[in-house]
Every structure is written in structure tokens, then in C-alpha cells.
Amino acid sequence: GGAEAFPSREVLSALARWANTVSGSTTRARFGAAQPLLAAVEGALLRAGNNNEATPPGLHATVASPGLRLSLLSAHASAGDVVQCFNSLGELKRLAGDSSPAGPKLTRGVYAELLRSLGKASVNGPAGVDLCRDPSKVVSGVLVDMGRQGLRLDAPLLNAALQVFVDSILAVDLVNERIRSLEREQGADRSHLAAQAHELFRTAVRGTALGHSAVKPTAQTLNILIRAYTLSDDLDRARSLLSQMEALYGVAPTHGSYNALFSWLARRDWRAAEALLVEMTNTGLAPDRQTMDHFLAGYTLGRQERGPEHALSLAQHCFNQYKAKPSKKVFLDLVA
């Protein structure tokens, strides 16, 4: 159409869904590749909402339906744009409030997307830096808002909330680099972030988390927490949770439980890593592809006496014993 034409709701919804599939940035230093497209979609909605002139014949001003706003929220989450995610949430709440009792309402899925955006937040501005440095306040705010909407915290949402802290721990070096450029005084700290994750988990399973009832953790919940401990170099707490998962929470360790520790141990303490591998296989769990990748990458890249020849020997043993194979990329890196 011409300058006065507005894209249809269906077109914008399709664009937002497509934008959600566009690969984001390889780092959290900038927004994903979909950002310009999403800005154009939001701009079309803004122009439609502010249009005071007659709509050209055959065309209709675009109205943001709940479905479109949810598509936009999901796409903004993939792009790591937390501000726009919260804007989309506000619009969804407004639309839900204006609808009939039988109309669309906010769901746990909406808040899961919002939490996903927090974990992928870009650190190209002060807001993203502050979020990644100390996500507890924002995560708590999301959970409080959920409660106000009558939505109960469950294990998948708790997992998404805990993952925000893990993602923030992984981004500590990048965040601190940005903090120095912004001349902030307080940097990000892995131990502090892991402690925040632990506190959220503790209150959630006890039923004291911001007005929500107690949540029964799943294996994924505990695996995320083990990963948070491991990434913050708190091996004692990680090992303790691994050994007590079944006794305390009725959840048996999975491959993910052990792999969270292998990712650290294989690079720094091969004796402890191999002892844990024996412990895992004694429970009936055979090493999987990720297990093999951690050992091969750790022995190849880690600063210890276990080198590529030991990695090949271990790979051969695990294949003969368990038919376990590493990923093609890791194996080729080893033999290159």
C-alpha cells in the first residue's frame, strides 16, 4: 500500500512469528538479527494506534490482538529485548482486562516467555547490564505479577526463573566488561548470582516464594541448580545436592545432573571426574554424548596432565563398554 497503508494483523503476526526463528546474536553484547524487523512491526502498531485520519479504502488500521502481542513478546524474548518484552506484557494485560470474561487471559506461557527474555537479555545498554548483574529483583517482580494474575508457580516456571541466574553467571565476563565501559562501580559476581538462585529455589520448595504455594522440583530443576553451583565454583554444594537429590526430593539423578559437574571437573580435576564417571555408571547410567564431549574437550583444553591421548583412550573405552560416542565436532577437534 501507500504511505497511509497499514499491514494487516495477520501479516504482522506472521512477521513476528518468523522473527522468532531468526538466529540471534552469538553473544549478549547486541540484540539479535530480528531486532530491525521487530522495530518495524512495533512501529506499524504505533502508527495505527495514533492514526486520526480516515483509513484508505479497502484497508484497516492494525489492531494488536492478544495473539499478535504474544508473538511479539516471544520474538522480543529471542532477540533479548527485555524492555519490549515488558511492554508487550503490559499490552497483553490491558487487552486481557478489556476483553469479555470468556476472552483471552494471561497464561503461564506468557510469563515463561518473559523469563526466557530475561535469560537472553542483551547487555548493550545499562538496563540489560543491571539485569544481568543482579536479576533477583526483576525475577521476583515477575513472580509477584504472576500471583496477582491468579497464576501459580509450577516446576517449569521455576526452572525458567532459575535458568535466568545460570545465564547471568555465564555472562559475567561480558557484563563486567560492559560495566567498566559504563563506569559502574559494582560488577557481577558468580557466587552472588548462585546464592540468589539457591535462595529462590529454597523459598519455592518451602512454599514461601512471594505468595506462591510450594513447588515440587523436577530433575531439571535440580540440574539447573547444580549447574549454577558448578559455574560459581561451589563444587561442595553441587556434589552435596547430587548425592541428596533422591533422599530430599524423591528425584533420581539424570545424565544432566552428572554432566553439569563433568563440564567443570573434566577441565580441572580429571581424577575427580573419572571417579564421578564410575559412580554414575554404577547407578546404571551409561555416559551419553554430552558426557563424552565434556571429557574430550576437558582433556584437550584443560590445563592438566590428561591430554588428547588419554581422551582418545577414554573415548574408545566408553564406546566399547557403553556404545557412547562424542559429537562429530568435538571428536574432530580432538584428532585435528
Side-chain angles (χ1 to χ4, degrees), residues 197-268:
H198 173 80
E199 181 61 17
L200 173 61
F201 171 80
R202 187 183 66 82
T203 56
V205 297
R206 290 184 177 181
T208 57
L210 307 169
H212 291 277
S213 56
V215 177
K216 179 176 175 54
T218 64
Q220 184 181 0
T221 311
L222 300 173
N223 293 349
I224 293 171
L225 200 58
I226 290 173
R227 182 157 168 74
Y229 296 152
T230 304
L231 289 170
S232 62
D233 293 342
D234 192 347
L235 269 293
D236 289 340
R237 180 167 276 177
R239 289 297 303 264
S240 176
L241 179 55
L242 176 68
S243 65
Q244 298 182 73
M245 284 174 61
E246 199 155 12
L248 293 178
Y249 305 107
V251 178
T254 65
H255 284 101
S257 312
Y258 288 97
N259 285 336
L261 277 159
F262 289 142
S263 65
W264 192 98
L265 289 174
R267 293 174 182 266
R268 297 169 176 85

Side-chain angles (χ1 to χ4, degrees), residues 80-97:
D81 193 336
V82 177
V83 173
Q84 288 294 352
C85 277
F86 276 102
N87 288 343
S88 293
L89 176 65
E91 285 298 313
L92 278 168
K93 290 165 70 174
R94 183 185 63 78
L95 291 168

Side-chain angles (χ1 to χ4, degrees), residues 72-334:
L72 284 168
L73 190 151
S74 181
H76 285 309
S78 292
D81 193 336
V82 177
V83 173
Q84 288 294 352
C85 277
F86 276 102
N87 288 343
S88 293
L89 176 65
E91 285 298 313
L92 278 168
K93 290 165 70 174
R94 183 185 63 78
L95 291 168
D98 292 344
S99 66
S100 65
K105 297 296 181 184
L106 294 178
T107 65
R108 289 188 182 91
V110 171
Y111 286 93
E113 286 297 296
L114 189 60
L115 288 168
R116 185 165 71 95
S117 77
L118 300 182
K120 297 168 71 74
S122 170
V123 295
N124 70 339
V129 167
D130 288 340
L131 167 67
C132 297
R133 181 176 59 185
D134 190 7
S136 182
K137 183 177 181 180
V138 180
V139 170
S140 297
V142 171
L143 299 185
V144 167
D145 195 69
M146 273 180 52
R148 290 172 179 164
Q149 302 299 323
L151 299 172
R152 184 177 60 84
L153 180 64
D154 59 8
L157 280 165
L158 176 58
N159 297 348
L162 291 172
Q163 187 63 43
V164 175
F165 295 96
V166 171
D167 291 334
S168 295
I169 293 171
L170 288 168
V172 159
D173 290 339
L174 179 60
V175 169
N176 284 336
E177 180 183 330
R178 291 291 296 148
I179 286 173
R180 287 191 292 271
S181 69
L182 294 169
E183 297 183 351
R184 300 288 180 89
E185 293 182 358
Q186 183 179 357
D189 179 80
R190 292 182 178 86
S191 297
H192 176 65
L193 292 166
Q196 289 185 334
H198 173 80
E199 181 61 17
L200 173 61
F201 171 80
R202 187 183 66 82
T203 56
V205 297
R206 290 184 177 181
T208 57
L210 307 169
H212 291 277
S213 56
V215 177
K216 179 176 175 54
T218 64
Q220 184 181 0
T221 311
L222 300 173
N223 293 349
I224 293 171
L225 200 58
I226 290 173
R227 182 157 168 74
Y229 296 152
T230 304
L231 289 170
S232 62
D233 293 342
D234 192 347
L235 269 293
D236 289 340
R237 180 167 276 177
R239 289 297 303 264
S240 176
L241 179 55
L242 176 68
S243 65
Q244 298 182 73
M245 284 174 61
E246 199 155 12
L248 293 178
Y249 305 107
V251 178
T254 65
H255 284 101
S257 312
Y258 288 97
N259 285 336
L261 277 159
F262 289 142
S263 65
W264 192 98
L265 289 174
R267 293 174 182 266
R268 297 169 176 85
D269 188 346
W270 66 267
R271 290 182 178 84
E274 292 187 3
L276 187 63
L277 180 61
V278 171
E279 179 183 316
M280 182 183 82
T281 56
N282 286 342
T283 68
L285 284 175
D288 63 5
R289 177 169 295 182
Q290 190 174 19
T291 307
M292 300 310 303
D293 284 354
H294 286 319
F295 272 94
L296 267 60
Y299 284 4
T300 305
L301 302 175
R303 297 179 179 178
Q304 50 186 337
E305 61 266 33
R306 283 297 208 217
E309 66 281 1
H310 293 97
L312 284 171
S313 176
L314 180 67
Q316 186 64 58
H317 168 75
C318 288
F319 177 76
N320 294 340
Q321 186 77 16
Y322 307 106
K323 304 303 180 187
K325 296 187 290 186
S327 65
K328 183 177 180 179
K329 181 183 183 304
V330 170
F331 184 77
L332 289 177
D333 288 343
L334 173 65

Side-chain angles (χ1 to χ4, degrees), residues 33-72:
Q35 196 64 24
L37 174 60
L38 291 171
V41 174
E42 293 282 4
L45 292 175
L46 181 63
R47 291 195 302 275
N50 293 336
N51 181 41
N52 294 319
E53 300 180 3
T55 305
L59 294 174
H60 301 280
T62 308
V63 178
S65 67
L68 173 53
R69 277 294 171 191
L70 182 56
S71 294
L72 284 168

